[in-house]
Amino acid sequence: MPVLLSGVPVDERLVRQLAAIMGKPVGAKLEQALLFRASVVALSRDEKTAVLSALEKAPAGLEELRELLLADERWRFRERL
């Protein structure tokens, strides 16, 4: 089941992997969202920046997630112009 992570549909498996590499508080927020089977997880700009930073050195398998979030970030930036 996909989770809408900061506006981007992400496979639950990838959210679980992301939670494992994130430190607190973002990792705990993601784990709690998975525990309660949340279908939407909002991230603040600071949280999203932390996620993108963590994904720069992400293990294999999370490149797809980084690309999804970066593409969304570029699109949102263009919307603000």
Side-chain angles (χ1 to χ4, degrees), residues 13-63:
R13 169 188 58 82
L14 293 176
V15 176
R16 192 169 312 284
Q17 289 177 351
L18 178 61
I21 67 166
M22 292 299 302
K24 287 187 179 183
V26 178
K29 180 178 187 174
L30 295 173
E31 288 173 0
Q32 186 174 24
L34 291 168
L35 178 67
F36 290 107
R37 307 209 36 89
S39 57
V40 176
V41 179
L43 296 178
S44 69
R45 175 151 301 281
D46 289 341
E47 290 170 332
K48 193 168 183 180
T49 299
V51 166
L52 290 172
S53 292
L55 289 173
E56 284 181 8
K57 17 184 193 319
L62 287 176
E63 303 93 355

Side-chain angles (χ1 to χ4, degrees), residues 59-79:
L62 287 176
E63 303 93 355
E64 173 189 359
L65 176 57
R66 184 171 190 279
E67 290 304 314
L68 285 170
L69 293 176
L70 279 174
D72 181 65
E73 187 66 17
R74 286 185 207 113
W75 177 82
R76 288 177 193 249
F77 178 75
R78 279 187 232 133
E79 282 259 318

